[in-house]
């Protein structure tokens, strides 16, 4: 974890791990702070100092990176990808995705499908379902 994100703080590494484990149902920054035993302000400071961004921006990028992987490796409907990555609204997901990657999820899906038509849909039992937040 430390090497992947180049963080020197075990607390920050712990927060990132919690974020990765809670992509579908994103945790509030205060809750993340509580879980690792520091203040929300300390969380903000650690992210800014070591990663150059707020925890909120990092979390969003993490969720969108997961969505990109799903769009490229599965044929799951875009709405399911959005929900699985913690977005309550497909519209919000599409706008955030386009802002980060420069293309909407539908275009990402089309370009990947053209290159690799053998992708498959995952079994529903392998997916987690639950509430989502945007």
């Amino acid at each position: 974890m430390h090497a992947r994100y180049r963080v020197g703080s075990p607390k920050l590494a712990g927060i990132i791990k919690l974020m990765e484990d809670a992509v579908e149902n994103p945790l509030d920054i205060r809750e993340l702070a509580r879980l690792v035993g520091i203040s929300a302000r300390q969380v903000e400071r650690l992210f800014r100092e070591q990663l150059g961004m707020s925890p909120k921006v990092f979390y969003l990028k993490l969720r969108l990176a997961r969505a990109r992987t799903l769009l490229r490796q599965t044929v799951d409907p875009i709405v399911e990808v959005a929900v699985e990555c913690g977005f309550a609204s497909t519209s919000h997901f599409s706008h955030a995705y386009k802002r980060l990657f420069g293309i909407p999820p539908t275009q990402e899906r089309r370009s990947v499908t053209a290159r690799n038509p053998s992708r498959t849909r995952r079994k529903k039992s392998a997916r987690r379902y639950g509430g989502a937040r945007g």
Side-chain angles (χ1 to χ4, degrees), residues 65-117:
R66 173 72 179 138
R68 188 176 219 188
T69 298
L70 293 173
L71 289 169
R72 290 177 168 185
Q73 295 179 357
T74 73
V75 294
D76 295 347
I78 290 174
V79 68
E80 286 184 24
V81 171
V83 168
E84 188 165 336
C85 295
F87 293 89
S89 157
T90 306
S91 174
H92 179 237
F93 168 65
S94 293
H95 290 312
Y97 193 94
K98 186 174 181 179
R99 266 193 319 272
L100 183 61
F101 298 117
I103 60 172
T106 52
Q107 188 177 339
E108 182 84 60
R109 172 59 54 80
R110 277 194 300 267
S111 66
V112 172
T113 301
R115 290 190 311 261
N116 183 10

Side-chain angles (χ1 to χ4, degrees), residues 11 24 36 41 49 55 57 63 73 78 81-82 102 105 118 121 132 134:
K11 296 282 187 183
E24 186 173 348
V36 297
R41 178 67 189 118
E49 289 173 355
V57 169
R63 293 165 50 214
Q73 295 179 357
I78 290 174
V81 171
S118 65
R121 184 170 170 125

